[in-house]
Amino acid sequence: MKSNQPIEQMLSGLGITALNPMQQAAHEAILQDKDVFLLSPTGSGKTLGFLLPLLQLLQPEQRGVQCLILSPSRELALQIEQVWKSLRTGYKVNVCYGGHSMATEIQNLSSPPAVLIGTPGRIADHILRKTVRLDEVQTLVLDEFDKSLELGFHDQMAFIIETLKNLRKRVLVSATSGIQLPAFTGLDEPITLNFIPEEVGESSLTTKIVLSDEKDKLDTLFRLVCSLNSEAALIFCNLREVAERVSGFLNEQGVYAAFYHGGMEQDDRERALIQFRNGSVSYLVTTDLAARGLDIPEMKHVIHYQLPPHESEFVHRNGRTARMHASGTAYLLLYREDTRPGYVPEGIEELALPQHYRLPEPPEFQTIYISGGKKNKLAKGDIVGFFSQKGDLEKGDLGRIEVKDFSSFAAVKKAKVKALLERLKTEKMKGKKYKIEVAR
């Protein structure tokens, strides 16, 4: 059923008073009878920019999938789904991605959603299995399109688009300008909206070089982290195994860090992000997978433990800080004898690390796992009430709560965790006993 909520009310539910200029321009363009090519930096609100006009294009009486949104990563697909649900549109949405239960997805698709979000590989799989019908899709969104090409989804996207026989509108979204649009996209003289500044973040992003006398730079990284006043940071590496090694080293030194990369199981990836989002770990050591498209807080610090081979990824990494007029710092860790990539400009200030330092303060919160979620009819309010009444938590003891399909995660003040788990051992939530423990 179509939502009768005015846009102002939807925005209010998201804590937003008005659309920014990019979102306003995207809204007007997408409602026109033309294709749209939207270029805007990471963190500028592109998801809301294309979802709001899509809502107005949906027909409440139509029963099949009306809009298909393709995303290069599972995390971005889930983030788009979350924003759509936050709008409380009344239209069904489903998300499909590798690592998610195929049986659950097939069951969800048996009653077609109005909006289907997914990664190209998984959506192509459903088409081949004949578990989804897309012949009524009229609107296609290719989000972070350049990243999908970079990850090798060319053939899957071409195959999917070929099956969309009644497509009327294409919306391509990218954070990188200058990309060539392959013929398979079928964009016909699109309205192009370019909101990428010539100098991204020039006024608010500070860049500093940190030189290391040792080639592996681990000790230099540790000292840098210790100099950040216990503030959270994203630490970028080029390789998965390096991210794991760096995270392990920091933890051995007493720094609470987690690693994140595309080779991890989906559950492990989600847990790493959850613990970073809710403040249970302060440092996320990651590959370029986290450079864009993730629901993570605004960062004051981005550290390049390894510099990427291409300037575009360097820009996207730095886009995790100094967003929307906030200030931030990007640190470039360099071995003294290494040759700097051509995209690193001359004259960047060198940061001298203090000789004396102390460990960052440990996180205030710890993540608690609950063995039930949305499919068990659990909501955030149920967990808040249960933890407060039965667990004797006071206001401020409970942090961010995230409810997934079959599990939930709650941030709890570390000092209260032991007593909480003891109190809840024999208690039931909504008449059912759930496993409740510290998240691994």
Side-chain angles (χ1 to χ4, degrees):
M1 172 174 278
K2 187 170 182 178
S3 171
N4 293 317
Q5 285 192 87
I7 286 178
E8 292 76 13
Q9 191 175 331
M10 291 183 179
L11 294 179
S12 175
L14 293 170
I16 298 171
T17 54
L19 297 178
N20 64 35
M22 178 275 295
Q23 292 166 335
Q24 187 63 49
H27 191 273
E28 294 170 3
I30 291 171
L31 291 180
Q32 294 183 42
D33 191 23
K34 296 196 76 171
D35 295 335
V36 176
F37 185 25
L38 173 61
L39 294 154
S40 192
T42 297
S44 55
K46 294 189 291 295
T47 302
L48 187 60
F50 65 72
L51 286 184
L52 278 175
L54 290 184
L55 171 60
Q56 292 180 249
L57 296 174
L58 297 179
Q59 302 298 320
E61 67 279 0
Q62 193 170 321
R63 295 186 56 81
V65 179
Q66 299 183 52
C67 175
L68 175 64
I69 303 174
L70 296 181
S71 149
S73 71
R74 309 163 185 177
E75 288 77 13
L76 180 55
L78 288 164
Q79 184 178 321
I80 297 167
E81 179 200 34
Q82 192 55 51
V83 175
W84 181 266
K85 286 184 173 179
S86 299
L87 292 172
R88 303 185 186 281
T89 67
Y91 284 107
K92 184 183 178 186
V93 63
N94 283 131
V95 62
C96 300
Y97 54 87
H100 194 216
S101 164
M102 178 60 80
T104 298
E105 290 183 0
I106 291 172
Q107 177 62 35
N108 289 338
L109 293 171
S110 64
S111 173
V115 177
L116 178 60
I117 306 163
T119 52
R122 183 51 71 98
I123 295 297
D125 194 357
H126 278 293
I127 293 171
L128 290 169
R129 289 170 180 255
K130 301 189 184 327
T131 48
V132 67
R133 289 186 59 182
L134 300 178
D135 49 335
E136 293 185 45
V137 170
Q138 296 187 6
T139 307
L140 170 70
V141 178
L142 301 176
D143 196 14
E144 296 287 9
F145 176 68
D146 57 309
K147 188 68 176 176
S148 290
L149 290 177
E150 186 182 312
L151 292 174
F153 289 130
H154 183 288
D155 291 346
Q156 291 95 329
M157 289 191 293
F159 167 69
I160 292 166
I161 293 173
E162 189 181 349
T163 68
L164 305 178
K165 302 303 183 186
N166 289 302
L167 198 55
R168 294 185 181 177
K169 179 177 291 294
R170 296 163 169 84
V171 180
L172 265 68
V173 183
S174 175
T176 304
S177 57
I179 60 173
Q180 293 285 18
L181 297 181
F184 73 76
T185 61
L187 247 68
D188 181 25
E189 298 182 353
I191 299 171
T192 299
L193 305 173
N194 191 346
F195 283 84
I196 297 179
E198 290 187 14
E199 294 292 336
V200 178
E202 182 183 20
S203 60
S204 53
L205 176 67
T206 302
T207 308
K208 296 184 179 181
I209 284 178
V210 182
L211 293 177
S212 171
D213 293 322
E214 298 169 346
K215 191 152 190 165
D216 75 357
K217 301 179 288 189
L218 283 172
D219 182 62
T220 306
L221 172 65
F222 172 61
R223 289 168 55 210
L224 172 60
V225 166
C226 290
S227 74
L228 300 181
N229 300 317
S230 301
E231 293 172 338
L234 273 173
I235 302 171
F236 282 101
C237 305
N238 293 340
L239 302 171
R240 297 170 178 178
E241 55 268 28
V242 176
E244 293 192 19
R245 183 166 63 89
V246 169
S247 174
F249 171 81
L250 290 176
N251 279 287
E252 287 169 6
Q253 308 307 308
V255 175
Y256 287 77
F259 62 84
Y260 175 84
H261 59 68
M264 300 164 65
E265 293 292 330
Q266 181 62 18
D267 282 351
D268 294 332
R269 280 164 62 170
E270 284 191 5
R271 290 189 186 207
L273 288 180
I274 287 167
Q275 294 187 62
F276 185 59
R277 278 195 292 257
N278 69 25
S280 295
V281 297
S282 302
Y283 306 95
L284 189 67
V285 189
T286 179
T287 59
D288 285 321
L289 184 64
R292 47 183 163 164
L294 287 190
D295 177 19
I296 54 178
E298 166 71 16
M299 292 283 101
K300 286 182 69 174
H301 308 286
V302 165
I303 300 172
H304 301 269
Y305 178 74
Q306 294 176 309
L307 287 172
H310 305 297
E311 183 177 11
S312 60
E313 288 309 321
F314 180 69
V315 171
H316 288 305
R317 289 179 180 186
N318 291 341
R320 281 295 171 191
T321 188
R323 292 186 190 174
M324 307 301 286
H325 310 296
S327 60
T329 305
Y331 304 89
L332 285 58
L333 264 65
L334 297 171
Y335 175 46
R336 285 189 184 276
E337 298 180 18
D338 275 350
T339 303
R340 300 180 188 183
Y343 61 75
V344 176
E346 296 294 329
I348 297 178
E349 176 190 349
E350 182 182 337
L351 176 66
L353 297 177
Q355 292 301 312
H356 303 286
Y357 50 85
R358 62 180 183 181
L359 281 171
E361 293 293 325
E364 197 177 2
F365 287 92
Q366 195 164 16
T367 301
I368 302 301
Y369 162 80
I370 303 148
S371 65
K374 296 172 188 172
K375 301 293 186 182
N376 308 100
K377 309 297 184 187
L378 288 185
K380 286 184 184 179
D382 301 319
I383 296 169
V384 171
F386 183 60
F387 277 31
S388 300
Q389 295 160 23
K390 300 294 186 180
D392 202 24
L393 291 187
E394 299 173 1
K395 188 177 181 181
D397 291 338
L398 194 55
R400 180 173 178 139
I401 297 171
E402 298 195 31
V403 182
K404 305 298 182 183
D405 281 349
F406 297 103
S407 60
S408 302
F409 300 87
V412 175
K413 285 277 183 71
K414 272 188 175 180
K416 300 295 183 85
V417 167
K418 186 176 180 181
L420 172 75
L421 295 180
E422 189 62 33
R423 290 190 185 102
L424 298 182
K425 267 199 309 191
T426 57
E427 298 289 350
K428 293 181 178 180
M429 181 164 35
K430 295 183 76 173
K432 185 175 178 182
K433 185 79 175 68
Y434 293 99
K435 180 190 284 186
I436 300 175
E437 62 188 13
V438 174
R440 59 179 171 81

